[in-house]
Amino acid sequence: MAHDSYLSTHILDTARGRPGAGVTVELWRLEPDPAHVTTTVTTKDGRNADPLLPEPGFVPGRYELRFHIGAYFAAAGLASDPPYLDVVPVRVHLAAGQGHYHVPLLCAPYSYTTYRGS
C-alpha cells in the first residue's frame, strides 16, 4: 500500500564535517505560478523540524527548495565576499502516493550536491 507523500530536507556542511544548523530553507511551488509555501531554519542536526510539505494537503507538482547557504557560510567566516554560492535552488517534481521525499544538500562554500534520500 502506498503512503501519502511528504517532503523533508537535511543539510550537511562538508567543509566542516557536521550538520548545517541554522540554514534558512524556503519552499516554493512552481506551478501554475510561483508561490511561496513555507520557510524554515534547520535544527542543530541540520534537519527541518516539521515536514516542509506535510501529508495533509500535499499537492503534487514542481517545487523549488532554496537553501540560503551563502549567509550560513558567511556567518561561519568561510564565505568569500561576495559569496560564491548564495541561495542554492533545487527543483524537484513531487508525485502523490510516493511516500517520503527527502532532499539532502551536501554543501561547502564553493560546491554542493544533492540526491533523493530516504
Side-chain angles (χ1 to χ4, degrees), residues 41-75:
V41 176
T42 56
T43 65
K44 66 179 182 173
D45 295 328
R47 299 178 181 275
N48 51 295
D50 298 309
L52 293 167
L53 195 58
E55 288 178 305
F58 178 91
V59 177
R62 290 179 50 238
Y63 289 85
E64 181 174 274
L65 292 114
R66 297 177 183 174
F67 298 92
H68 292 252
I69 64 169
Y72 167 78
F73 284 115

PDB file of all heavy atoms in Angstrom, residues 41-75:
ATOM      1  N   VAL A  41      14.081  27.050   9.282  1.00  0.00           N
ATOM      2  CA  VAL A  41      15.504  27.134   9.613  1.00  0.00           C
ATOM      3  C   VAL A  41      15.899  25.775  10.170  1.00  0.00           C
ATOM      4  O   VAL A  41      15.203  25.229  11.039  1.00  0.00           O
ATOM      5  CB  VAL A  41      15.784  28.258  10.638  1.00  0.00           C
ATOM      6  CG1 VAL A  41      17.246  28.269  11.041  1.00  0.00           C
ATOM      7  CG2 VAL A  41      15.366  29.614  10.077  1.00  0.00           C
ATOM      8  N   THR A  42      16.989  25.208   9.660  1.00  0.00           N
ATOM      9  CA  THR A  42      17.376  23.862  10.077  1.00  0.00           C
ATOM     10  C   THR A  42      17.769  23.813  11.552  1.00  0.00           C
ATOM     11  O   THR A  42      18.302  24.768  12.115  1.00  0.00           O
ATOM     12  CB  THR A  42      18.530  23.318   9.215  1.00  0.00           C
ATOM     13  OG1 THR A  42      19.635  24.222   9.269  1.00  0.00           O
ATOM     14  CG2 THR A  42      18.094  23.122   7.780  1.00  0.00           C
ATOM     15  N   THR A  43      17.513  22.661  12.152  1.00  0.00           N
ATOM     16  CA  THR A  43      17.819  22.412  13.558  1.00  0.00           C
ATOM     17  C   THR A  43      19.317  22.155  13.751  1.00  0.00           C
ATOM     18  O   THR A  43      20.069  22.114  12.774  1.00  0.00           O
ATOM     19  CB  THR A  43      17.051  21.171  14.048  1.00  0.00           C
ATOM     20  OG1 THR A  43      17.544  20.022  13.340  1.00  0.00           O
ATOM     21  CG2 THR A  43      15.553  21.318  13.830  1.00  0.00           C
ATOM     22  N   LYS A  44      19.721  21.886  14.971  1.00  0.00           N
ATOM     23  CA  LYS A  44      21.133  21.594  15.255  1.00  0.00           C
ATOM     24  C   LYS A  44      21.613  20.346  14.522  1.00  0.00           C
ATOM     25  O   LYS A  44      22.805  20.170  14.308  1.00  0.00           O
ATOM     26  CB  LYS A  44      21.367  21.458  16.762  1.00  0.00           C
ATOM     27  CG  LYS A  44      20.689  20.268  17.377  1.00  0.00           C
ATOM     28  CD  LYS A  44      20.971  20.152  18.864  1.00  0.00           C
ATOM     29  CE  LYS A  44      20.291  18.906  19.412  1.00  0.00           C
ATOM     30  NZ  LYS A  44      20.656  18.658  20.785  1.00  0.00           N
ATOM     31  N   ASP A  45      20.673  19.482  14.114  1.00  0.00           N
ATOM     32  CA  ASP A  45      21.006  18.279  13.351  1.00  0.00           C
ATOM     33  C   ASP A  45      20.973  18.525  11.850  1.00  0.00           C
ATOM     34  O   ASP A  45      21.102  17.584  11.061  1.00  0.00           O
ATOM     35  CB  ASP A  45      20.046  17.142  13.696  1.00  0.00           C
ATOM     36  CG  ASP A  45      20.180  16.694  15.134  1.00  0.00           C
ATOM     37  OD1 ASP A  45      21.296  16.759  15.687  1.00  0.00           O
ATOM     38  OD2 ASP A  45      19.163  16.280  15.722  1.00  0.00           O
ATOM     39  N   GLY A  46      20.752  19.793  11.431  1.00  0.00           N
ATOM     40  CA  GLY A  46      20.720  20.132  10.017  1.00  0.00           C
ATOM     41  C   GLY A  46      19.436  19.721   9.314  1.00  0.00           C
ATOM     42  O   GLY A  46      19.371  19.697   8.094  1.00  0.00           O
ATOM     43  N   ARG A  47      18.416  19.405  10.073  1.00  0.00           N
ATOM     44  CA  ARG A  47      17.148  18.934   9.500  1.00  0.00           C
ATOM     45  C   ARG A  47      16.045  19.964   9.712  1.00  0.00           C
ATOM     46  O   ARG A  47      16.159  20.840  10.548  1.00  0.00           O
ATOM     47  CB  ARG A  47      16.730  17.615  10.146  1.00  0.00           C
ATOM     48  CG  ARG A  47      17.742  16.514   9.910  1.00  0.00           C
ATOM     49  CD  ARG A  47      17.319  15.220  10.599  1.00  0.00           C
ATOM     50  NE  ARG A  47      18.311  14.184  10.392  1.00  0.00           N
ATOM     51  CZ  ARG A  47      18.365  13.397   9.340  1.00  0.00           C
ATOM     52  NH1 ARG A  47      17.470  13.518   8.383  1.00  0.00           N
ATOM     53  NH2 ARG A  47      19.301  12.474   9.219  1.00  0.00           N
ATOM     54  N   ASN A  48      14.948  19.802   8.966  1.00  0.00           N
ATOM     55  CA  ASN A  48      13.774  20.625   9.233  1.00  0.00           C
ATOM     56  C   ASN A  48      13.016  19.988  10.395  1.00  0.00           C
ATOM     57  O   ASN A  48      12.937  18.770  10.487  1.00  0.00           O
ATOM     58  CB  ASN A  48      12.900  20.767   7.982  1.00  0.00           C
ATOM     59  CG  ASN A  48      12.566  19.432   7.348  1.00  0.00           C
ATOM     60  OD1 ASN A  48      13.458  18.749   6.863  1.00  0.00           O
ATOM     61  ND2 ASN A  48      11.305  19.066   7.343  1.00  0.00           N
ATOM     62  N   ALA A  49      12.469  20.815  11.289  1.00  0.00           N
ATOM     63  CA  ALA A  49      11.761  20.295  12.461  1.00  0.00           C
ATOM     64  C   ALA A  49      10.436  19.640  12.075  1.00  0.00           C
ATOM     65  O   ALA A  49      10.055  18.625  12.650  1.00  0.00           O
ATOM     66  CB  ALA A  49      11.533  21.414  13.473  1.00  0.00           C
ATOM     67  N   ASP A  50       9.747  20.215  11.121  1.00  0.00           N
ATOM     68  CA  ASP A  50       8.467  19.700  10.638  1.00  0.00           C
ATOM     69  C   ASP A  50       8.573  19.494   9.135  1.00  0.00           C
ATOM     70  O   ASP A  50       9.354  20.173   8.473  1.00  0.00           O
ATOM     71  CB  ASP A  50       7.341  20.700  10.943  1.00  0.00           C
ATOM     72  CG  ASP A  50       7.165  20.920  12.434  1.00  0.00           C
ATOM     73  OD1 ASP A  50       7.047  19.927  13.169  1.00  0.00           O
ATOM     74  OD2 ASP A  50       7.164  22.094  12.858  1.00  0.00           O
ATOM     75  N   PRO A  51       7.754  18.587   8.566  1.00  0.00           N
ATOM     76  CA  PRO A  51       7.804  18.410   7.111  1.00  0.00           C
ATOM     77  C   PRO A  51       7.597  19.741   6.377  1.00  0.00           C
ATOM     78  O   PRO A  51       6.773  20.555   6.779  1.00  0.00           O
ATOM     79  CB  PRO A  51       6.657  17.432   6.830  1.00  0.00           C
ATOM     80  CG  PRO A  51       6.491  16.673   8.099  1.00  0.00           C
ATOM     81  CD  PRO A  51       6.793  17.671   9.191  1.00  0.00           C
ATOM     82  N   LEU A  52       8.376  19.957   5.331  1.00  0.00           N
ATOM     83  CA  LEU A  52       8.223  21.160   4.517  1.00  0.00           C
ATOM     84  C   LEU A  52       6.893  21.138   3.777  1.00  0.00           C
ATOM     85  O   LEU A  52       6.277  22.168   3.549  1.00  0.00           O
ATOM     86  CB  LEU A  52       9.371  21.275   3.512  1.00  0.00           C
ATOM     87  CG  LEU A  52      10.739  21.513   4.125  1.00  0.00           C
ATOM     88  CD1 LEU A  52      11.823  21.294   3.086  1.00  0.00           C
ATOM     89  CD2 LEU A  52      10.820  22.905   4.694  1.00  0.00           C
ATOM     90  N   LEU A  53       6.509  19.962   3.377  1.00  0.00           N
ATOM     91  CA  LEU A  53       5.234  19.757   2.693  1.00  0.00           C
ATOM     92  C   LEU A  53       4.615  18.518   3.336  1.00  0.00           C
ATOM     93  O   LEU A  53       4.935  17.395   2.961  1.00  0.00           O
ATOM     94  CB  LEU A  53       5.490  19.546   1.196  1.00  0.00           C
ATOM     95  CG  LEU A  53       4.313  19.660   0.259  1.00  0.00           C
ATOM     96  CD1 LEU A  53       3.649  21.032   0.359  1.00  0.00           C
ATOM     97  CD2 LEU A  53       4.765  19.418  -1.168  1.00  0.00           C
ATOM     98  N   PRO A  54       3.765  18.700   4.359  1.00  0.00           N
ATOM     99  CA  PRO A  54       3.224  17.558   5.088  1.00  0.00           C
ATOM    100  C   PRO A  54       2.176  16.783   4.287  1.00  0.00           C
ATOM    101  O   PRO A  54       1.645  17.281   3.299  1.00  0.00           O
ATOM    102  CB  PRO A  54       2.598  18.192   6.331  1.00  0.00           C
ATOM    103  CG  PRO A  54       2.324  19.600   5.953  1.00  0.00           C
ATOM    104  CD  PRO A  54       3.326  19.973   4.894  1.00  0.00           C
ATOM    105  N   GLU A  55       1.900  15.561   4.734  1.00  0.00           N
ATOM    106  CA  GLU A  55       0.912  14.709   4.066  1.00  0.00           C
ATOM    107  C   GLU A  55      -0.452  15.390   3.932  1.00  0.00           C
ATOM    108  O   GLU A  55      -1.006  15.413   2.840  1.00  0.00           O
ATOM    109  CB  GLU A  55       0.762  13.380   4.797  1.00  0.00           C
ATOM    110  CG  GLU A  55       1.957  12.467   4.623  1.00  0.00           C
ATOM    111  CD  GLU A  55       1.809  11.175   5.392  1.00  0.00           C
ATOM    112  OE1 GLU A  55       1.591  11.233   6.617  1.00  0.00           O
ATOM    113  OE2 GLU A  55       1.904  10.114   4.759  1.00  0.00           O
ATOM    114  N   PRO A  56      -1.008  15.944   5.019  1.00  0.00           N
ATOM    115  CA  PRO A  56      -2.308  16.616   4.856  1.00  0.00           C
ATOM    116  C   PRO A  56      -2.148  17.828   3.927  1.00  0.00           C
ATOM    117  O   PRO A  56      -1.309  18.691   4.132  1.00  0.00           O
ATOM    118  CB  PRO A  56      -2.673  17.077   6.267  1.00  0.00           C
ATOM    119  CG  PRO A  56      -1.806  16.293   7.181  1.00  0.00           C
ATOM    120  CD  PRO A  56      -0.562  15.958   6.406  1.00  0.00           C
ATOM    121  N   GLY A  57      -2.922  17.848   2.884  1.00  0.00           N
ATOM    122  CA  GLY A  57      -2.860  18.977   1.965  1.00  0.00           C
ATOM    123  C   GLY A  57      -1.757  18.889   0.932  1.00  0.00           C
ATOM    124  O   GLY A  57      -1.522  19.846   0.198  1.00  0.00           O
ATOM    125  N   PHE A  58      -1.061  17.751   0.838  1.00  0.00           N
ATOM    126  CA  PHE A  58       0.000  17.583  -0.156  1.00  0.00           C
ATOM    127  C   PHE A  58      -0.577  17.788  -1.557  1.00  0.00           C
ATOM    128  O   PHE A  58      -1.612  17.221  -1.894  1.00  0.00           O
ATOM    129  CB  PHE A  58       0.615  16.187  -0.047  1.00  0.00           C
ATOM    130  CG  PHE A  58       1.680  15.905  -1.066  1.00  0.00           C
ATOM    131  CD1 PHE A  58       3.003  16.176  -0.787  1.00  0.00           C
ATOM    132  CD2 PHE A  58       1.359  15.374  -2.305  1.00  0.00           C
ATOM    133  CE1 PHE A  58       3.997  15.915  -1.715  1.00  0.00           C
ATOM    134  CE2 PHE A  58       2.341  15.111  -3.246  1.00  0.00           C
ATOM    135  CZ  PHE A  58       3.668  15.386  -2.945  1.00  0.00           C
ATOM    136  N   VAL A  59       0.093  18.608  -2.354  1.00  0.00           N
ATOM    137  CA  VAL A  59      -0.326  18.846  -3.734  1.00  0.00           C
ATOM    138  C   VAL A  59       0.833  18.446  -4.648  1.00  0.00           C
ATOM    139  O   VAL A  59       1.926  19.003  -4.543  1.00  0.00           O
ATOM    140  CB  VAL A  59      -0.680  20.339  -3.966  1.00  0.00           C
ATOM    141  CG1 VAL A  59      -1.044  20.587  -5.419  1.00  0.00           C
ATOM    142  CG2 VAL A  59      -1.809  20.762  -3.040  1.00  0.00           C
ATOM    143  N   PRO A  60       0.621  17.461  -5.537  1.00  0.00           N
ATOM    144  CA  PRO A  60       1.688  17.062  -6.453  1.00  0.00           C
ATOM    145  C   PRO A  60       2.087  18.228  -7.364  1.00  0.00           C
ATOM    146  O   PRO A  60       1.282  19.125  -7.622  1.00  0.00           O
ATOM    147  CB  PRO A  60       1.061  15.941  -7.285  1.00  0.00           C
ATOM    148  CG  PRO A  60      -0.135  15.498  -6.534  1.00  0.00           C
ATOM    149  CD  PRO A  60      -0.601  16.679  -5.740  1.00  0.00           C
ATOM    150  N   GLY A  61       3.317  18.200  -7.848  1.00  0.00           N
ATOM    151  CA  GLY A  61       3.747  19.224  -8.789  1.00  0.00           C
ATOM    152  C   GLY A  61       5.232  19.507  -8.705  1.00  0.00           C
ATOM    153  O   GLY A  61       5.993  18.779  -8.058  1.00  0.00           O
ATOM    154  N   ARG A  62       5.636  20.591  -9.377  1.00  0.00           N
ATOM    155  CA  ARG A  62       7.045  21.017  -9.392  1.00  0.00           C
ATOM    156  C   ARG A  62       7.273  22.014  -8.269  1.00  0.00           C
ATOM    157  O   ARG A  62       6.517  22.970  -8.119  1.00  0.00           O
ATOM    158  CB  ARG A  62       7.383  21.647 -10.740  1.00  0.00           C
ATOM    159  CG  ARG A  62       7.421  20.619 -11.874  1.00  0.00           C
ATOM    160  CD  ARG A  62       7.738  21.223 -13.236  1.00  0.00           C
ATOM    161  NE  ARG A  62       8.918  22.063 -13.186  1.00  0.00           N
ATOM    162  CZ  ARG A  62       8.918  23.361 -13.523  1.00  0.00           C
ATOM    163  NH1 ARG A  62       7.844  23.972 -13.926  1.00  0.00           N
ATOM    164  NH2 ARG A  62      10.037  24.054 -13.461  1.00  0.00           N
ATOM    165  N   TYR A  63       8.356  21.787  -7.524  1.00  0.00           N
ATOM    166  CA  TYR A  63       8.705  22.623  -6.381  1.00  0.00           C
ATOM    167  C   TYR A  63      10.170  23.031  -6.473  1.00  0.00           C
ATOM    168  O   TYR A  63      10.965  22.386  -7.149  1.00  0.00           O
ATOM    169  CB  TYR A  63       8.474  21.870  -5.065  1.00  0.00           C
ATOM    170  CG  TYR A  63       7.018  21.666  -4.739  1.00  0.00           C
ATOM    171  CD1 TYR A  63       6.312  20.593  -5.255  1.00  0.00           C
ATOM    172  CD2 TYR A  63       6.343  22.571  -3.918  1.00  0.00           C
ATOM    173  CE1 TYR A  63       4.959  20.407  -4.968  1.00  0.00           C
ATOM    174  CE2 TYR A  63       5.000  22.389  -3.618  1.00  0.00           C
ATOM    175  CZ  TYR A  63       4.325  21.310  -4.143  1.00  0.00           C
ATOM    176  OH  TYR A  63       2.995  21.146  -3.856  1.00  0.00           O
ATOM    177  N   GLU A  64      10.501  24.079  -5.745  1.00  0.00           N
ATOM    178  CA  GLU A  64      11.891  24.521  -5.649  1.00  0.00           C
ATOM    179  C   GLU A  64      12.220  24.769  -4.184  1.00  0.00           C
ATOM    180  O   GLU A  64      11.531  25.528  -3.503  1.00  0.00           O
ATOM    181  CB  GLU A  64      12.106  25.800  -6.452  1.00  0.00           C
ATOM    182  CG  GLU A  64      13.546  26.291  -6.405  1.00  0.00           C
ATOM    183  CD  GLU A  64      13.761  27.471  -7.320  1.00  0.00           C
ATOM    184  OE1 GLU A  64      14.028  27.246  -8.515  1.00  0.00           O
ATOM    185  OE2 GLU A  64      13.639  28.621  -6.833  1.00  0.00           O
ATOM    186  N   LEU A  65      13.271  24.104  -3.719  1.00  0.00           N
ATOM    187  CA  LEU A  65      13.826  24.396  -2.407  1.00  0.00           C
ATOM    188  C   LEU A  65      14.927  25.424  -2.609  1.00  0.00           C
ATOM    189  O   LEU A  65      15.738  25.292  -3.539  1.00  0.00           O
ATOM    190  CB  LEU A  65      14.409  23.135  -1.770  1.00  0.00           C
ATOM    191  CG  LEU A  65      13.379  22.082  -1.396  1.00  0.00           C
ATOM    192  CD1 LEU A  65      13.591  20.849  -2.244  1.00  0.00           C
ATOM    193  CD2 LEU A  65      13.474  21.765   0.062  1.00  0.00           C
ATOM    194  N   ARG A  66      14.979  26.432  -1.766  1.00  0.00           N
ATOM    195  CA  ARG A  66      16.010  27.465  -1.841  1.00  0.00           C
ATOM    196  C   ARG A  66      16.796  27.444  -0.535  1.00  0.00           C
ATOM    197  O   ARG A  66      16.296  27.832   0.514  1.00  0.00           O
ATOM    198  CB  ARG A  66      15.382  28.840  -2.082  1.00  0.00           C
ATOM    199  CG  ARG A  66      14.645  28.911  -3.407  1.00  0.00           C
ATOM    200  CD  ARG A  66      13.979  30.242  -3.612  1.00  0.00           C
ATOM    201  NE  ARG A  66      13.219  30.239  -4.864  1.00  0.00           N
ATOM    202  CZ  ARG A  66      12.435  31.216  -5.259  1.00  0.00           C
ATOM    203  NH1 ARG A  66      12.301  32.309  -4.508  1.00  0.00           N
ATOM    204  NH2 ARG A  66      11.767  31.130  -6.392  1.00  0.00           N
ATOM    205  N   PHE A  67      18.029  26.983  -0.628  1.00  0.00           N
ATOM    206  CA  PHE A  67      18.909  26.833   0.522  1.00  0.00           C
ATOM    207  C   PHE A  67      19.808  28.073   0.630  1.00  0.00           C
ATOM    208  O   PHE A  67      20.603  28.340  -0.264  1.00  0.00           O
ATOM    209  CB  PHE A  67      19.788  25.590   0.365  1.00  0.00           C
ATOM    210  CG  PHE A  67      19.017  24.299   0.298  1.00  0.00           C
ATOM    211  CD1 PHE A  67      18.617  23.772  -0.921  1.00  0.00           C
ATOM    212  CD2 PHE A  67      18.704  23.608   1.454  1.00  0.00           C
ATOM    213  CE1 PHE A  67      17.920  22.569  -0.994  1.00  0.00           C
ATOM    214  CE2 PHE A  67      18.005  22.398   1.395  1.00  0.00           C
ATOM    215  CZ  PHE A  67      17.613  21.888   0.169  1.00  0.00           C
ATOM    216  N   HIS A  68      19.718  28.796   1.705  1.00  0.00           N
ATOM    217  CA  HIS A  68      20.477  30.039   1.898  1.00  0.00           C
ATOM    218  C   HIS A  68      21.843  29.728   2.525  1.00  0.00           C
ATOM    219  O   HIS A  68      22.112  30.083   3.677  1.00  0.00           O
ATOM    220  CB  HIS A  68      19.676  31.005   2.772  1.00  0.00           C
ATOM    221  CG  HIS A  68      18.454  31.530   2.100  1.00  0.00           C
ATOM    222  ND1 HIS A  68      18.346  32.822   1.670  1.00  0.00           N
ATOM    223  CD2 HIS A  68      17.298  30.907   1.746  1.00  0.00           C
ATOM    224  CE1 HIS A  68      17.164  33.000   1.096  1.00  0.00           C
ATOM    225  NE2 HIS A  68      16.508  31.845   1.126  1.00  0.00           N
ATOM    226  N   ILE A  69      22.703  29.089   1.736  1.00  0.00           N
ATOM    227  CA  ILE A  69      23.999  28.669   2.283  1.00  0.00           C
ATOM    228  C   ILE A  69      25.043  29.787   2.257  1.00  0.00           C
ATOM    229  O   ILE A  69      26.011  29.729   3.007  1.00  0.00           O
ATOM    230  CB  ILE A  69      24.524  27.397   1.604  1.00  0.00           C
ATOM    231  CG1 ILE A  69      24.819  27.607   0.137  1.00  0.00           C
ATOM    232  CG2 ILE A  69      23.565  26.243   1.823  1.00  0.00           C
ATOM    233  CD1 ILE A  69      25.581  26.457  -0.481  1.00  0.00           C
ATOM    234  N   GLY A  70      24.853  30.802   1.441  1.00  0.00           N
ATOM    235  CA  GLY A  70      25.788  31.931   1.442  1.00  0.00           C
ATOM    236  C   GLY A  70      25.820  32.608   2.803  1.00  0.00           C
ATOM    237  O   GLY A  70      26.897  32.855   3.365  1.00  0.00           O
ATOM    238  N   ALA A  71      24.652  32.894   3.355  1.00  0.00           N
ATOM    239  CA  ALA A  71      24.563  33.525   4.680  1.00  0.00           C
ATOM    240  C   ALA A  71      25.105  32.597   5.765  1.00  0.00           C
ATOM    241  O   ALA A  71      25.775  33.037   6.703  1.00  0.00           O
ATOM    242  CB  ALA A  71      23.122  33.907   4.979  1.00  0.00           C
ATOM    243  N   TYR A  72      24.844  31.293   5.621  1.00  0.00           N
ATOM    244  CA  TYR A  72      25.326  30.307   6.588  1.00  0.00           C
ATOM    245  C   TYR A  72      26.855  30.294   6.635  1.00  0.00           C
ATOM    246  O   TYR A  72      27.462  30.381   7.712  1.00  0.00           O
ATOM    247  CB  TYR A  72      24.777  28.924   6.215  1.00  0.00           C
ATOM    248  CG  TYR A  72      25.430  27.779   6.939  1.00  0.00           C
ATOM    249  CD1 TYR A  72      25.087  27.481   8.254  1.00  0.00           C
ATOM    250  CD2 TYR A  72      26.394  26.989   6.317  1.00  0.00           C
ATOM    251  CE1 TYR A  72      25.688  26.429   8.927  1.00  0.00           C
ATOM    252  CE2 TYR A  72      26.992  25.938   6.973  1.00  0.00           C
ATOM    253  CZ  TYR A  72      26.634  25.657   8.286  1.00  0.00           C
ATOM    254  OH  TYR A  72      27.247  24.616   8.953  1.00  0.00           O
ATOM    255  N   PHE A  73      27.505  30.211   5.467  1.00  0.00           N
ATOM    256  CA  PHE A  73      28.969  30.169   5.447  1.00  0.00           C
ATOM    257  C   PHE A  73      29.584  31.532   5.779  1.00  0.00           C
ATOM    258  O   PHE A  73      30.663  31.596   6.360  1.00  0.00           O
ATOM    259  CB  PHE A  73      29.488  29.619   4.118  1.00  0.00           C
ATOM    260  CG  PHE A  73      29.337  28.125   4.016  1.00  0.00           C
ATOM    261  CD1 PHE A  73      28.498  27.562   3.065  1.00  0.00           C
ATOM    262  CD2 PHE A  73      30.021  27.271   4.870  1.00  0.00           C
ATOM    263  CE1 PHE A  73      28.347  26.187   2.969  1.00  0.00           C
ATOM    264  CE2 PHE A  73      29.874  25.900   4.800  1.00  0.00           C
ATOM    265  CZ  PHE A  73      29.028  25.349   3.842  1.00  0.00           C
ATOM    266  N   ALA A  74      28.900  32.608   5.453  1.00  0.00           N
ATOM    267  CA  ALA A  74      29.384  33.946   5.825  1.00  0.00           C
ATOM    268  C   ALA A  74      29.403  34.081   7.350  1.00  0.00           C
ATOM    269  O   ALA A  74      30.369  34.601   7.921  1.00  0.00           O
ATOM    270  CB  ALA A  74      28.516  35.028   5.200  1.00  0.00           C
ATOM    271  N   ALA A  75      28.353  33.611   8.009  1.00  0.00           N
ATOM    272  CA  ALA A  75      28.289  33.676   9.476  1.00  0.00           C
ATOM    273  C   ALA A  75      29.395  32.847  10.125  1.00  0.00           C
ATOM    274  O   ALA A  75      29.865  33.168  11.209  1.00  0.00           O
ATOM    275  CB  ALA A  75      26.921  33.210   9.961  1.00  0.00           C
TER     276      ALA A  75
END
